[in-house]
DNA sequence: GTTATGATTTACT
DNA sequence: GTAAATCATAACG
């Protein structure tokens, strides 16, 4: 490994297995999401996340500890990928957090392209780099090559991982309500969506 | 076996 | 602003 190129550390179990999913959602902002799929490596800086808190959150698929084949991975220990298909078209990528039997997850909603931009554009069938290439959970997953094939994949393996990066200052993190969870009644009002105020690559303002 | 329904995006009017 | 696309999953018979 060339000594002159700093090798960013992959986030490990101790990061994902903390018990406060909202804190993890904040901490993930600014980190680098990396995928290496079909020999194509793409890196994106995470700019937007949402926290989903297992049993007590009406917006979470695992609300009241509803255990199904789909939600099963969220009950495992933190550090694996929860990917599912939404509206029959979009693959949404989540990071499983917390300990065994605490079904929390963080939805990654947007990234800012860092490298492998040509692969992202090819996957999105686009010509130039605009924010909608990777802003929005379905778009981001498509650009990064994330599909339900990655369901249950370890986040410190060789296909997908997240690299350490300095925490963002709290003053540039904006907290607001989550998107598309109107059905969750009072839990739809929780300020559990976070984004980097300084980034253009955010799905909505 | 059937049926309802989305953690959304895109292309319209 | 509104609507269509499109299918795995979950709940029910």
């Amino acid at each position: 490994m060339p000594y002159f190129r700093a090798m960013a550390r992959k986030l490990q179990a101790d990061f994902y297995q903390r018990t406060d999913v909202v804190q993890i959602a904040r901490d993930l902002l600014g980190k680098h999401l990396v995928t290496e799929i079909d020999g194509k490596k793409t890196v994106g800086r995470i700019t937007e996340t949402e926290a989903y808190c297992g049993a007590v959150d009406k917006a979470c698929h695992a609300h009241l500890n509803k255990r199904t084949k789909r939600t099963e991975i969220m009950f495992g220990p933190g550090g694996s990928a929860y990917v599912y298909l939404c509206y029959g078209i979009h693959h949404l990528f989540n990071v499983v957090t917390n300990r065994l039997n605490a079904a929390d997850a963080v939805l990654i909603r947007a990234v800012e392209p860092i490298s492998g931009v040509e692969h992202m554009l090819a996957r999105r069938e686009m010509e130039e780099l605009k924010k909608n290439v990777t802003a929005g959970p379905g778009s981001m997953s498509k650009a990064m090559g994330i599909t339900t094939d990655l369901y249950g994949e370890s986040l410190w393996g060789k296909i997908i991982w997240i690299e350490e990066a300095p925490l963002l200052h709290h003053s540039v993190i904006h907290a607001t309500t989550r998107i598309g969870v109107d059905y969750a009644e009072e839990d739809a009002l929780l300020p559990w969506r976070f984004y980097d105020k300084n980034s253009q690559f955010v799905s909505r303002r």
Side-chain angles (χ1 to χ4, degrees):
Chain A
M1 201 57 60
Y3 68 89
F4 49 83
R5 185 163 54 171
M7 195 62 191
R9 189 180 82 100
K10 290 181 186 180
L11 295 176
Q12 300 292 320
D14 60 330
F15 180 90
Y16 300 108
Q17 293 177 8
R18 289 178 294 158
T19 54
D20 186 348
V21 65
V22 175
Q23 188 62 48
I24 295 173
R26 297 178 72 101
D27 292 351
L28 279 170
L29 291 176
K31 303 284 187 282
H32 287 186
L33 174 64
V34 187
T35 60
E36 195 160 351
I37 294 163
D38 296 332
K40 299 168 186 166
K41 185 171 178 179
T42 49
V43 184
R45 177 180 169 279
I46 297 170
T47 55
E48 184 179 351
T49 62
E50 283 180 3
Y52 286 85
C53 188
V56 302
D57 180 3
K58 289 182 182 172
C60 184
H61 293 155
H63 178 224
L64 299 179
N65 286 325
K66 188 169 73 169
R67 210 182 255 269
T68 66
K69 195 176 174 189
R70 183 176 70 158
T71 62
E72 189 61 36
I73 193 67
M74 285 202 278
F75 290 87
S80 41
Y82 170 42
V83 185
Y84 75 96
L85 191 67
C86 190
Y87 297 99
I89 308 173
H90 308 290
H91 298 263
L92 271 59
F93 169 66
N94 301 250
V95 171
V96 176
T97 72
N98 213 329
R99 316 285 180 108
L100 185 67
N101 294 327
D104 298 353
V106 176
L107 171 68
I108 307 298
R109 293 187 55 88
V111 303
E112 185 175 303
I114 298 286
S115 69
V117 175
E118 67 279 17
H119 300 311
M120 297 190 194
L121 291 175
R123 287 176 181 136
R124 298 275 289 128
E125 299 178 303
M126 291 176 140
E127 307 276 307
E128 55 179 331
L129 186 57
K130 292 183 295 190
K131 82 163 208 178
N132 65 340
V133 174
T134 54
S139 308
M140 182 283 291
S141 298
K142 190 167 184 192
M144 299 288 294
I146 297 169
T147 69
T148 50
D149 288 352
L150 299 193
Y151 180 92
E153 196 63 37
S154 164
L155 294 179
W156 45 85
K158 294 181 176 173
I159 301 176
I160 183 165
W161 64 91
I162 299 177
E163 290 181 354
E164 184 59 88
L167 287 176
L168 295 193
H169 191 268
H170 63 81
S171 66
V172 303
I173 296 176
H174 189 77
T176 182
T177 51
R178 294 173 292 181
I179 291 176
V181 294
D182 298 340
Y183 60 85
E185 302 171 28
E186 73 275 15
D187 288 342
L189 302 175
L190 293 167
W192 284 359
R193 169 169 172 251
F194 303 99
Y195 65 82
D196 178 350
K197 286 183 191 173
N198 293 336
S199 178
Q200 295 308 302
F201 291 86
V202 169
S203 61
R204 274 208 225 168
R205 278 284 141 111

